Amino acid sequence: LSSFAPFGPVRIKLLISYFGRAKKVWNLTKSELIGVGLKEALVNKFLEHRQKFNNSNYLERLKKLSIDFITLNDSSYPKNLVGIKDAPPVLYIKGKFKLSDTNAIAIVGSRKITSYGKEVTEDFAGSLASLGITIVSGLARGIDTVSHQSTLDVGGRTIAVLPCGLDKVYPLENSRLASQIVEKQCLPDFVSRR
């Protein structure tokens, strides 16, 4: 279900709570999906996606890319996310979560960073990371990039949460930073909601 991005976490959670199991939702008929209020155009896109989807190929591709996944029902799913209304039903990850990641703070901000913003972010991220706090950001240009880099510079732990798949780092200029996050820590690193 999570491979069909237009459904999103909230809709998937609602469908599963109504029908009981993700597998049942996956196998619903067109009339059943429309019957719960989904628009016909969305249902048609889902049915087309489902017909083309090959689970074995999908899992093999994840394996080749060293991407693992955990579901909301797994004991290793981050405790900080479990109670969030729109917690992603599946997280795709490179690495592992650590127990200490519950002690985390997100630092995000403008993509058009000012010199003052850069200085404050370096100080804030570096200081918190030095205290053992995991820094979470989005690997975007600007504040996010500085947050991750400042954390790495002090030997801290950082997690990049990407809005896209883990197979393509965006923005491209942060590919090296993404690799550094994985290489320097060899533990959680990337998380994706898709």
Side-chain angles (χ1 to χ4, degrees):
L1 286 176
S2 70
S3 69
F4 185 65
F7 272 1
V10 174
R11 182 170 285 141
I12 289 172
K13 190 174 181 180
L14 285 170
L15 287 167
I16 292 171
S17 70
Y18 186 79
F19 290 102
R21 295 182 44 131
K23 187 173 184 175
K24 184 168 183 181
V25 175
W26 180 260
N27 292 314
L28 291 172
T29 65
K30 180 176 181 174
S31 61
E32 288 172 320
L33 289 164
I34 291 173
V36 294
L38 296 177
K39 295 188 189 294
E40 186 172 2
L42 179 62
V43 170
N44 288 336
K45 285 181 186 176
F46 171 68
L47 295 175
E48 183 180 329
H49 170 78
R50 184 174 75 187
Q51 184 179 14
K52 293 178 182 177
F53 188 82
N54 182 304
N55 194 51
S56 297
N57 290 347
Y58 187 73
L59 294 174
E60 185 60 34
R61 183 163 184 253
L62 291 176
K63 187 176 179 180
K64 283 182 183 177
L65 294 169
S66 300
I67 297 172
D68 199 1
F69 63 91
I70 54 175
T71 71
L72 192 55
N73 298 326
D74 292 331
S75 61
S76 58
Y77 194 92
K79 303 298 179 233
N80 295 13
L81 296 179
V82 171
I84 295 175
K85 177 183 151 197
D86 57 351
V90 178
L91 293 176
Y92 296 91
I93 59 174
K94 284 194 174 190
K96 303 275 184 230
F97 286 105
K98 292 175 84 175
L99 188 56
S100 63
D101 292 332
T102 57
N103 189 21
I105 188 166
I107 300 177
V108 295
S110 176
R111 285 172 174 76
K112 294 181 180 180
I113 193 169
T114 64
S115 57
Y116 175 74
K118 183 176 187 277
E119 182 181 328
V120 169
T121 303
E122 287 171 339
D123 183 48
F124 196 52
S127 295
L128 289 171
S130 294
L131 295 171
I133 296 172
T134 300
I135 304 300
V136 180
S137 200
L139 202 68
R141 293 178 184 98
I143 297 292
D144 293 21
T145 299
V146 173
S147 296
H148 291 302
Q149 190 61 60
S150 299
T151 301
L152 293 174
D153 290 347
V154 299
R157 185 162 168 75
T158 186
I159 297 174
V161 179
L162 306 179
C164 56
L166 298 180
D167 54 342
K168 296 176 186 160
V169 173
Y170 181 83
L172 192 56
E173 69 256 23
N174 279 348
S175 294
R176 185 168 171 264
L177 177 59
S179 294
Q180 287 177 330
I181 292 171
V182 174
E183 290 166 12
K184 286 190 177 185
Q185 297 180 79
C186 299
L187 292 157
D189 330 298
F190 286 117
V191 177
S192 176
R193 300 179 290 151
R194 292 194 181 139

